[in-house]
Amino acid sequence: MAAAHTPRESAHAAALGVRQALGGSFAAISKWERELGKLRVLVNVGELADGEEEFPDDESYPVHEFPEIVDFLHEQWAGGGEPSAWVERAEESPGGPAPTGVEGGGCVNPQRVAALRRRGRGCCVVAPIVLHGRAWGELYVARRTGEQVFGRADADFASVLAAVTAAGIAQTERLAEARRLAFTDSLTGLANRRAVDMRLDEALELHRSDETVVSLVVCDLNGLKRVNDSRGHAVGDRLLERFGSVLSLCGAMLPGMLAARLGGDEFCLLAVGPPADEVVKVAGELCDRAGELDLGEGVAVGVASTGDPIGPVRSARRLFRLADAAQYKAKAARSGEPVVAGRHGGKEDPVVRLADAPDRRTGPERRRFRR
């Protein structure tokens, strides 16, 4: 689990480990989604029955069918009690001990018993997974019909494994949150410049290997300084947030498009795969929607795509320079439409020539090309 990069990888590693440790034929990790009132299965490992998938898209169960997950946790842990695992059997063992229950007696859940029988399993051990003193989900391990039934010692061991699993999940979630913060703009919730740089480098590797079309739409939000000076930075932040929502909405028009705030009043869309014409169409929609905002003065948009005649693109810096040059032209002309590099004369296009010219500008204009 320590080597996992995502919560799903962490849950998969945990399921594999607990199945082996408890000698089960099958194991699953599920998460309690409180807002939906469901126990959602994240991963199944081992011998899968009909209808089970290793990473199910939507295998979930209403929590009211498993009251021991809700009622027991709330009632028993409120006073500082410790969670403990219990055993369910598909059939009673003649002369054997009663199933271990959540309160030391019997705990026979008809839904779990029916599921065991339906899937050819003889018994299971269920252990709550607890994070920060609250129920997070459950660890579930089953054995085949005819194999030795889990006992009290197995349930105790499952409780220990659930605690280890909880620690691993907590670490993965902390790392995931750290990564999210590292690659997310805090004001708008969009990706940040670091995320764009990483995705663009990966995209250009694909372009070099199989000529995948990579397109960059660079936007400069007009009127932000005027709004900040006349109405205050809180209103300016609202303009940035509103435009971020518009950018996200337009980015969703093409699959896999990344919407990002580069910093200040600069934003971008990064598309990998769609034809250049489709990206330009989205850029035009972005101009229209930005012009309808009740704050600001629209947006200046420049587009550069490897699908257009812009010459070889061997680095992220070149694609940024081309998109920046196109955006600079759009801003200078107060254009209400995107300016597209390479569409007015190929390599002799004024935008391409501007991007290829020596960088002698100073101040904010020069900053645009220092990528």
Side-chain angles (χ1 to χ4, degrees):
M1 294 181 74
H5 296 289
T6 66
R8 187 171 84 161
E9 290 178 4
S10 183
H12 185 255
L16 290 173
V18 299
R19 173 179 173 259
Q20 181 179 14
L22 285 166
S25 62
F26 171 85
I29 301 291
S30 302
K31 182 177 182 179
W32 180 12
E33 296 184 333
R34 280 180 168 79
E35 70 279 10
L36 300 177
K38 292 182 178 181
L39 195 64
R40 182 168 64 88
V41 179
L42 301 180
V43 59
N44 295 310
V45 299
E47 299 175 3
L48 305 184
D50 290 343
E52 289 179 332
E53 299 177 357
E54 185 173 25
F55 296 108
D57 291 329
D58 188 26
E59 184 184 350
S60 59
Y61 305 92
V63 172
H64 71 261
E65 295 183 358
F66 304 97
E68 68 273 15
I69 288 294
V70 183
D71 298 340
F72 169 66
L73 301 188
H74 286 168
E75 294 174 5
Q76 300 297 319
W77 300 351
E82 293 295 327
S84 60
W86 64 92
V87 174
E88 300 275 7
R89 298 191 182 112
E91 304 290 344
E92 287 293 336
S93 301
T100 302
V102 293
E103 295 179 293
C107 176
V108 179
N109 184 307
Q111 285 78 20
R112 292 192 191 274
V113 171
L116 285 171
R117 293 170 179 169
R118 186 171 63 251
R119 293 165 177 164
R121 295 167 185 150
C123 63
C124 68
V125 59
V126 184
I129 297 173
V130 183
L131 259 66
H132 314 302
R134 302 181 66 187
W136 181 91
E138 71 171 31
L139 176 158
Y140 177 101
V141 183
R143 286 176 177 167
R144 305 180 197 91
T145 299
E147 293 186 335
Q148 182 177 356
V149 174
F150 289 117
R152 179 70 262 172
D154 296 308
D156 291 342
F157 188 28
S159 296
V160 174
L161 294 173
V164 174
T165 298
I169 289 172
Q171 175 179 311
T172 305
E173 290 188 345
R174 284 194 295 269
L175 291 174
E177 178 65 8
R179 284 192 291 270
R180 187 190 69 78
L181 293 174
F183 295 104
T184 303
D185 176 64
S186 59
L187 177 64
T188 63
L190 301 175
N192 62 15
R193 179 58 191 265
R194 184 182 292 109
V196 173
D197 287 342
M198 289 186 62
R199 180 76 65 86
L200 185 53
D201 286 341
E202 294 169 357
L204 290 177
E205 285 292 331
L206 288 175
H207 172 68
R208 285 188 284 269
S209 63
D210 59 15
E211 298 185 349
T212 298
V213 175
V214 180
S215 305
L216 190 63
V217 180
V218 171
C219 321
D220 192 288
L221 187 57
N222 297 326
L224 178 63
K225 185 176 186 304
R226 179 189 61 78
V227 171
N228 283 335
D229 291 345
S230 63
R231 303 182 64 178
H233 286 272
V235 179
D237 285 349
R238 189 159 73 247
L239 172 58
L240 290 168
E241 289 179 291
R242 288 182 180 179
F243 179 70
S245 296
V246 169
L247 187 73
S248 178
L249 178 66
C250 291
M253 294 177 180
L254 290 178
M257 184 175 269
L258 180 70
R261 182 185 178 202
L262 299 176
D265 57 3
E266 292 186 273
F267 294 77
C268 80
L269 291 170
L270 173 60
V272 183
D277 286 345
E278 293 186 14
V279 177
V280 172
K281 184 178 179 180
V282 169
E285 181 72 15
L286 177 62
C287 289
D288 293 341
R289 290 178 180 266
E292 296 172 358
L293 292 174
D294 58 351
L295 295 170
E297 301 166 7
V299 65
V301 176
V303 183
S305 174
T306 61
D308 284 325
I310 57 175
V313 177
R314 298 188 178 90
S315 68
R317 175 181 172 82
R318 173 159 174 77
L319 197 64
F320 255 118
R321 284 178 65 92
L322 287 161
D324 265 339
Q327 185 271 126
Y328 178 77
K329 282 286 188 181
K331 196 171 190 71
R334 297 182 180 275
S335 175
E337 298 180 351
V339 172
V340 185
R343 296 223 167 174
H344 302 284
K347 293 181 180 179
E348 296 303 312
D349 184 299
V351 173
V352 177
R353 294 177 66 182
L354 176 63
D356 290 340
D359 194 359
R360 298 190 180 93
R361 284 176 292 278
T362 60
E365 294 176 11
R366 183 180 182 190
R367 175 179 57 82
R368 294 182 182 281
F369 296 90
R370 296 184 65 182
R371 300 293 183 184

